[in-house]
Short mmCIF file of all heavy atoms in Angstrom, two decimals:
data_model
loop_
_atom_site.label_atom_id
_atom_site.label_comp_id
_atom_site.label_asym_id
_atom_site.label_seq_id
_atom_site.Cartn_x
_atom_site.Cartn_y
_atom_site.Cartn_z
N LYS A 42 4.84 12.64 -27.44
CA LYS A 42 4.08 11.42 -27.79
C LYS A 42 2.74 11.19 -27.06
O LYS A 42 1.74 11.00 -27.55
CB LYS A 42 4.97 10.21 -27.58
CG LYS A 42 4.75 9.02 -28.58
CD LYS A 42 5.91 8.08 -28.41
CE LYS A 42 5.34 6.71 -28.59
NZ LYS A 42 6.37 5.69 -28.03
N GLN A 43 2.91 11.43 -25.74
CA GLN A 43 1.77 11.20 -24.88
C GLN A 43 0.61 12.20 -25.25
O GLN A 43 -0.45 11.83 -25.29
CB GLN A 43 2.16 11.54 -23.43
CG GLN A 43 1.20 11.07 -22.35
CD GLN A 43 0.87 9.57 -22.42
OE1 GLN A 43 1.67 8.84 -22.85
NE2 GLN A 43 -0.29 9.22 -22.09
N ALA A 44 1.00 13.37 -25.49
CA ALA A 44 0.11 14.53 -25.74
C ALA A 44 -0.78 14.10 -27.00
O ALA A 44 -1.90 14.37 -27.11
CB ALA A 44 0.72 15.84 -25.87
N GLU A 45 -0.04 13.52 -28.03
CA GLU A 45 -0.72 13.18 -29.26
C GLU A 45 -1.80 12.12 -29.12
O GLU A 45 -2.83 12.09 -29.69
CB GLU A 45 0.35 12.67 -30.23
CG GLU A 45 1.07 13.75 -30.95
CD GLU A 45 2.37 13.22 -31.65
OE1 GLU A 45 2.52 11.99 -31.78
OE2 GLU A 45 3.15 14.04 -32.06
N SER A 46 -1.38 11.02 -28.28
CA SER A 46 -2.10 9.80 -28.34
C SER A 46 -3.08 9.58 -27.17
O SER A 46 -3.98 8.63 -27.39
CB SER A 46 -1.22 8.63 -28.54
OG SER A 46 -0.38 8.66 -27.37
N ALA A 47 -2.92 10.17 -26.15
CA ALA A 47 -3.75 9.80 -25.04
C ALA A 47 -4.70 10.92 -24.50
O ALA A 47 -4.79 11.91 -25.17
CB ALA A 47 -2.78 9.58 -23.81
N ALA A 48 -5.40 10.73 -23.48
CA ALA A 48 -6.33 11.59 -22.96
C ALA A 48 -5.66 12.86 -22.59
O ALA A 48 -4.41 12.92 -22.34
CB ALA A 48 -7.03 11.08 -21.70
N PRO A 49 -6.43 14.04 -22.50
CA PRO A 49 -5.69 15.33 -22.15
C PRO A 49 -4.97 15.14 -20.79
O PRO A 49 -5.42 14.46 -19.86
CB PRO A 49 -6.93 16.26 -21.92
CG PRO A 49 -8.06 15.61 -22.65
CD PRO A 49 -7.87 14.23 -22.70
N VAL A 50 -3.95 15.97 -20.79
CA VAL A 50 -3.02 15.87 -19.59
C VAL A 50 -3.70 16.20 -18.28
O VAL A 50 -3.54 15.44 -17.35
CB VAL A 50 -1.85 16.91 -19.84
CG1 VAL A 50 -1.07 17.08 -18.43
CG2 VAL A 50 -0.91 16.42 -20.91
N ALA A 51 -4.65 17.16 -18.33
CA ALA A 51 -5.36 17.53 -17.16
C ALA A 51 -6.08 16.29 -16.52
O ALA A 51 -6.06 16.08 -15.30
CB ALA A 51 -6.33 18.61 -17.45
N GLU A 52 -6.71 15.53 -17.43
CA GLU A 52 -7.53 14.38 -16.97
C GLU A 52 -6.62 13.38 -16.28
O GLU A 52 -6.88 12.86 -15.21
CB GLU A 52 -8.14 13.72 -18.13
CG GLU A 52 -9.67 13.99 -18.28
CD GLU A 52 -10.22 13.37 -19.53
OE1 GLU A 52 -9.96 12.26 -19.78
OE2 GLU A 52 -10.82 14.21 -20.25
N GLN A 53 -5.51 13.07 -16.96
CA GLN A 53 -4.55 12.11 -16.30
C GLN A 53 -4.07 12.63 -15.03
O GLN A 53 -3.93 11.83 -14.12
CB GLN A 53 -3.39 11.85 -17.19
CG GLN A 53 -3.73 11.28 -18.54
CD GLN A 53 -2.54 11.32 -19.57
OE1 GLN A 53 -1.39 11.41 -19.03
NE2 GLN A 53 -2.79 11.14 -20.77
N THR A 54 -3.79 13.84 -14.90
CA THR A 54 -3.23 14.37 -13.69
C THR A 54 -4.37 14.22 -12.60
O THR A 54 -4.01 13.77 -11.53
CB THR A 54 -2.98 15.85 -13.79
OG1 THR A 54 -2.18 16.03 -14.97
CG2 THR A 54 -2.29 16.47 -12.66
N ALA A 55 -5.57 14.48 -12.88
CA ALA A 55 -6.61 14.32 -11.80
C ALA A 55 -6.70 12.94 -11.38
O ALA A 55 -6.88 12.69 -10.17
CB ALA A 55 -7.96 14.90 -12.46
N ALA A 56 -6.59 12.03 -12.36
CA ALA A 56 -6.75 10.62 -11.99
C ALA A 56 -5.63 10.12 -11.00
O ALA A 56 -5.84 9.19 -10.19
CB ALA A 56 -6.70 9.78 -13.20
#
Side-chain angles (χ1 to χ4, degrees):
K42 206 166 142 198
Q43 190 60 28
E45 280 165 9
S46 57
V50 167
E52 258 173 51
Q53 293 173 23
T54 310

